[in-house]
Amino acid sequence: SFNTSFTKRSTFYDFKVDLEGKIFIPKVGVFVVYGKTIKEFEDELRKRLSQKFKNFKVEVSLGKIRSFIVYVSGFVRRAGAVRVNALSTLLDALTKAGGVAKNGSLRRIKLIRGGKSYDIDLYKLLIYGKSVDVRLKEGDLIEVLPIGKTCAIYGGVKREGIYELKEGETLGDLIKFAGGFLPDYYQRSLRVLEIEKGSVVVKEVKGNYGKVPLKDGCVVFVGEYPLKAERFVFVEGYVKQVGFFSLEKTKTLKDLIEKVGLLPDTDKRFASLLRFEKGKYKVINFSPEEVLEGKFNLKLKPLDRVSFFKRWVFKPIQVGGLVKNPRAIPYHKGIRLREVIGRFSFLKKVEDLKVEVWRVNKVYSIDLYKLLVEGDESLNIPLKEGDKLVVKEKEKGEFIRKVVILGEVKRPGVYKFREGMTLYDLIKEAGGYTKEAYPRGLILIRNSAKKLQYQRLKIALMSIQEVMLSAPSKVSSVGGSAQEVSILQVLINAQKKQLDLLKKRALFGLGRIALDIPPTLEELKNSKDNIPLVEGDFVFVPKRPHYVLVLGEVYNQISLPYRKGYRVRDYLKEVGWITDSADMENLFVIKANGKIVSKKSASLYGISFEGGKVFLGKDLLDMELEEGDTIVVPIALKVPILWRPLIKDIVQIMFQAISTAVLAQRL
């Protein structure tokens, strides 16, 4: 019911809302009040009265509220029917049911009304402060589902605790639920503890938290490293004032330079800022002169370290020729050609120019267009103090695009590259094969492939070193004896020496594209391996080798004469078969074209009996070889089963390095 008073005589009316949600006011009319707030009804009433009365005041209050029953089920403390009224919300009903139980979900609550189901997530209210108040209606059913995946987080966060995660939510969401990192901590180290196969596994995480999935029951620890420094920057070097400067009054580089004061012979073209950011140091080089002229500025950050130098601490780099404003550029360690020449404007079109780098007893001539426009990193050479750069016009034909072919062709040498040029075109232009040529072993080296393989090799070597460093501690942590750890350390030390050797040899074979080249030039013309060439490709056609090479755990590592029809087992017998330390399961063959055939890549499986032992992979032992093929028998790791997962990756990568080194020898 509503209590309503209006007019100057303070007339009071009491109206009861009927079953249709309406009230009738004499001389005014019918009003639908269901679902409206008191203010909404009051505004509508005032509008209707203003059509008949003047100078009046309206006040509406709620007299009696109708109550009704809703039902609460699932994981609450007291499930069942609860009585609520028209102003009650879902939270009121949960409270009357004793609240969500310990094993109930705060994020998976269903409101079932009129055959439809609505999902309610209380984290919107509890974490983000957003309203989830849903007004209840008679007959509503509230169901609290069981709690979902939970993870705990503690340490350097604002709200330590246990949080429930929905499907697809990550470490980044958990950190948000915990309020983020504490603001007064400078570095953070995250460790995630998860249960895998009955044991606890610790994983370290750095950045990209939004991409890190979490398992049910995991614990996240945020390590805390308190800041030891106040808000200051440190200045050193050749200026009037050195030492600490407050960031409150010195906010930018320009503020700092004006405050410290440059000396007459301070280097005004080069200074350096050292900044610790995202867990690592980075160097920002700048020109004090450009900062003071307003051409460049930088906002300072806590712990920045700014260094100024006396002019010409190092011999400068002189730049002249076809450039506007020839001048000297200060040298610093790590400076490269593009960094220097990119500061200049040129007197002619860049595509017509080259830059010569004059150094003691050497001159390097570099295509300026490829360096600056095409971004060829191989041309961006490191500079030395005292280098002289001279920009000149290119001479006719000086920087033609080239490909190289050497070996068993009639006219080996350097050839002009043309768009659409294929391997067949190059060999034909070089006069075709000689009688001694072995097309099957043709080697094609491509710079882009070399760069990619080099990056992969670096990653592989880093992975090996990481496993080598951590293996003894992992064995110890899972119960390995001191003797076992000592034996593993001896094995790893030996592998480190082998790794250093393989690293040097493998670099020579990078960039090779393995091809199945047919025996004649005419067959190559329509072959799928007649691939288009790119500028800078290097092709080498070897002589027919007449041999098969056997390496690894055999009694005699040697080159054997090639015999048509001979299989892998036949060559192994000729070198005295395998040693006791051989790993026959992982035997592989490096084909003359650079491809590798292993037991896993073979099409059939079988069992064979050789030398008193049973071997799997009969098909590989029975494979016929070609001239120039290499058999590699790796060493078996005689280590406890517990250790094998730790060093499996080391062995696989080492075998790949051996393969690359063998290919390099054929160059």
Side-chain angles (χ1 to χ4, degrees):
S1 64
F2 283 98
N3 299 323
T4 307
S5 63
F6 56 90
T7 77
K8 293 180 179 179
R9 293 175 291 177
S10 300
T11 305
F12 178 84
Y13 296 91
D14 187 358
F15 301 105
K16 186 174 182 180
V17 181
D18 64 19
L19 294 177
E20 295 181 350
K22 303 176 182 177
I23 62 172
F24 173 73
I25 301 178
K27 299 181 181 181
V28 181
V30 176
F31 292 81
V32 178
V33 297
Y34 174 78
K36 293 182 178 178
T37 65
I38 292 177
K39 186 177 185 308
E40 289 172 343
F41 170 57
E42 195 175 74
D43 290 343
E44 184 179 352
L45 178 59
R46 184 178 293 108
K47 182 178 180 181
R48 296 270 289 273
L49 288 173
S50 67
Q51 298 172 0
K52 296 185 177 184
F53 303 97
K54 294 182 178 180
N55 300 322
F56 63 89
K57 182 180 180 182
V58 175
E59 292 182 359
V60 177
S61 63
L62 196 62
K64 185 179 179 182
I65 304 174
R66 186 175 68 89
S67 64
F68 51 86
I69 297 294
V70 296
Y71 300 90
V72 183
S73 66
F75 291 81
V76 292
R77 298 183 190 278
R78 296 189 299 274
V82 297
R83 181 170 290 278
V84 296
N85 58 49
L87 298 181
S88 297
T89 66
L90 179 140
L91 291 177
D92 297 324
L94 288 175
T95 301
K96 289 191 175 184
V100 177
K102 185 177 180 180
N103 54 350
S105 174
L106 293 173
R107 309 197 64 191
R108 299 194 302 151
I109 300 173
K110 291 187 177 296
L111 173 62
I112 302 171
R113 175 181 294 169
K116 294 184 179 180
S117 178
Y118 305 90
D119 293 328
I120 309 296
D121 184 351
L122 292 185
Y123 269 26
K124 291 182 179 179
L125 172 67
L126 301 175
I127 302 295
Y128 301 110
K130 297 180 180 179
S131 175
V132 292
D133 283 350
V134 179
R135 292 286 177 88
L136 297 176
K137 294 184 179 180
E138 189 170 2
D140 281 350
L141 171 62
I142 301 168
E143 181 184 9
V144 178
L145 299 179
I147 193 169
K149 178 170 64 176
T150 58
C151 290
I153 184 169
Y154 68 102
V157 290
K158 295 177 182 177
R159 289 193 300 264
E160 297 178 317
I162 300 174
Y163 294 91
E164 182 180 356
L165 300 181
K166 287 184 176 180
E167 187 68 29
E169 290 183 331
T170 64
L171 175 58
D173 298 300
L174 180 63
I175 293 170
K176 289 180 183 177
F177 296 158
F181 300 117
L182 290 173
D184 55 340
Y185 285 85
Y186 190 50
Q187 300 178 26
R188 301 177 183 92
S189 173
L190 268 70
R191 293 190 289 278
V192 180
L193 284 70
E194 295 178 343
I195 298 176
E196 289 185 3
K197 298 180 181 179
S199 61
V200 176
V201 176
V202 180
K203 300 178 180 178
E204 291 193 5
V205 180
K206 292 183 179 179
N208 292 327
Y209 305 127
K211 295 184 179 180
V212 179
L214 296 175
K215 293 185 178 180
D216 190 14
C218 74
V219 177
V220 178
F221 172 70
V222 182
E224 305 172 354
Y225 300 87
L227 278 173
K228 297 180 180 179
E230 302 297 331
R231 289 179 56 80
F232 67 79
V233 294
F234 181 74
V235 177
E236 62 183 356
Y238 209 69
V239 287
K240 294 178 182 178
Q241 297 185 58
V242 297
F244 299 96
F245 291 84
S246 170
L247 276 175
E248 302 300 327
K249 298 181 180 180
T250 312
K251 300 183 182 298
T252 66
L253 266 179
K254 187 174 182 180
D255 297 337
L256 184 67
I257 293 173
E258 290 174 344
K259 185 169 290 187
V260 300
L262 302 181
L263 295 168
D265 52 348
T266 300
D267 190 340
K268 296 179 179 59
R269 296 185 178 181
F270 176 77
S272 182
L273 183 149
L274 182 66
R275 174 171 291 173
F276 188 82
E277 196 169 59
K278 295 181 180 180
K280 60 182 180 181
Y281 287 99
K282 73 174 184 177
V283 177
I284 303 173
N285 298 317
F286 64 93
S287 164
E289 187 175 62
E290 292 180 356
V291 173
L292 293 173
E293 292 174 353
K295 296 179 181 178
F296 174 78
N297 205 356
L298 188 69
K299 187 177 180 180
L300 297 173
K301 292 187 177 182
L303 302 180
D304 279 351
R305 190 181 190 96
V306 185
S307 301
F308 295 89
F309 305 95
K310 187 175 181 180
R311 194 176 186 190
W312 310 143
V313 173
F314 302 105
K315 292 181 181 179
I317 298 167
Q318 301 287 344
V319 182
L322 297 176
V323 296
K324 297 178 182 178
N325 189 22
R327 61 188 185 273
I329 300 297
Y331 169 83
H332 65 84
K333 187 177 181 181
I335 193 169
R336 287 180 172 267
L337 178 58
R338 188 183 294 122
E339 179 184 342
V340 173
I341 207 67
R343 302 183 187 185
F344 290 83
S345 299
F346 307 105
L347 299 176
K348 293 197 175 185
K349 292 181 180 180
V350 68
E351 53 264 35
D352 297 329
L353 299 175
K354 66 179 179 180
V355 57
E356 291 182 348
V357 181
W358 289 73
R359 191 173 292 169
V360 180
N361 298 326
K362 286 185 179 180
V363 178
Y364 301 90
S365 188
I366 293 171
D367 189 323
L368 205 53
Y369 182 82
K370 289 183 181 179
L371 173 69
L372 297 180
V373 181
E374 295 183 3
D376 189 338
E377 201 58 35
S378 65
L379 302 179
N380 189 23
I381 63 173
L383 298 178
K384 295 185 177 181
E385 61 171 311
D387 279 351
K388 293 179 176 60
L389 310 184
V390 182
V391 177
K392 297 181 177 181
E393 282 192 271
K394 297 176 185 175
E395 298 174 12
K396 189 174 181 180
E398 183 178 5
F399 289 102
I400 62 171
R401 303 168 75 187
K402 303 169 185 176
V403 288
V404 178
I405 183 167
L406 299 176
E408 295 303 313
V409 289
K410 294 177 181 177
R411 292 190 296 273
V414 179
Y415 288 83
K416 183 177 180 179
F417 171 75
R418 304 181 304 277
E419 291 296 336
M421 187 180 197
T422 66
L423 181 59
Y424 166 83
D425 296 331
L426 176 62
I427 298 173
K428 187 173 181 65
E429 195 169 341
Y433 301 128
T434 67
K435 292 182 180 180
E436 288 297 314
Y438 186 54
R440 183 68 174 164
L442 182 143
I443 295 173
L444 171 60
I445 302 294
R446 180 163 291 171
N447 285 331
S448 58
K450 182 180 293 187
K451 293 175 184 177
L452 179 61
Q453 290 176 6
Y454 179 67
Q455 291 300 321
R456 289 177 177 172
L457 179 62
K458 284 174 62 178
I459 294 171
L461 293 173
M462 290 171 61
S463 301
I464 291 174
Q465 292 167 352
E466 183 178 353
V467 174
M468 284 181 172
L469 291 172
S470 62
S473 61
K474 287 184 179 179
V475 172
S476 178
S477 66
V478 293
S481 68
Q483 184 179 9
E484 290 174 332
V485 174
S486 177
I487 295 172
L488 179 59
Q489 189 63 61
V490 171
L491 172 65
I492 288 175
N493 289 338
Q495 289 172 338
K496 283 181 180 177
K497 295 179 181 178
Q498 185 180 7
L499 179 63
D500 291 337
L501 177 61
L502 292 176
K503 177 181 177 181
K504 295 176 182 177
R505 296 172 67 187
L507 290 174
F508 290 103
L510 294 180
R512 181 175 185 183
I513 299 176
L515 300 169
D516 287 317
I517 304 297
T520 69
L521 188 56
E522 287 308 310
E523 288 177 293
L524 173 62
K525 184 175 182 179
N526 298 315
S527 167
K528 63 180 178 61
D529 289 277
N530 181 27
I531 63 172
L533 299 179
V534 300
E535 180 186 358
D537 277 353
F538 171 82
V539 178
F540 179 77
V541 181
K543 285 186 178 181
R544 183 170 294 277
H546 303 295
Y547 70 84
V548 168
L549 184 61
V550 184
L551 296 176
E553 293 304 307
V554 292
Y555 284 102
N556 187 15
Q557 298 190 65
I558 195 172
S559 295
L560 295 171
Y562 168 73
R563 294 183 174 87
K564 188 174 181 180
Y566 258 43
R567 303 162 299 170
V568 172
R569 69 172 70 251
D570 299 322
Y571 288 104
L572 290 178
K573 288 177 181 178
E574 290 207 11
V575 296
W577 202 243
I578 62 172
T579 67
D580 292 337
S581 57
D583 182 3
M584 201 63 166
E585 283 292 305
N586 289 304
L587 176 145
F588 61 95
V589 174
I590 307 171
K591 300 295 294 177
N593 64 359
K595 295 184 178 181
I596 295 178
V597 181
S598 66
K599 171 191 167 184
K600 292 183 179 179
S601 65
S603 58
L604 300 172
Y605 289 89
I607 300 176
S608 62
F609 186 85
E610 297 288 347
K613 298 180 181 179
V614 177
F615 297 106
L616 296 175
K618 178 180 179 181
D619 54 320
L620 188 58
L621 289 173
D622 287 336
M623 184 180 76
E624 290 187 12
L625 298 182
E626 299 175 293
E627 293 181 66
D629 287 352
T630 300
I631 303 170
V632 181
V633 183
I635 187 171
L637 293 172
K638 299 182 180 298
V639 296
I641 294 176
L642 177 64
W643 300 352
R644 291 174 186 171
L646 299 175
I647 52 181
K648 180 181 178 182
D649 290 341
I650 296 177
V651 178
Q652 290 178 342
I653 296 171
M654 282 185 172
F655 291 166
Q656 292 172 1
I658 291 173
S659 305
T660 309
V662 170
L663 297 179
Q665 290 177 349
R666 295 178 182 166
L667 293 174

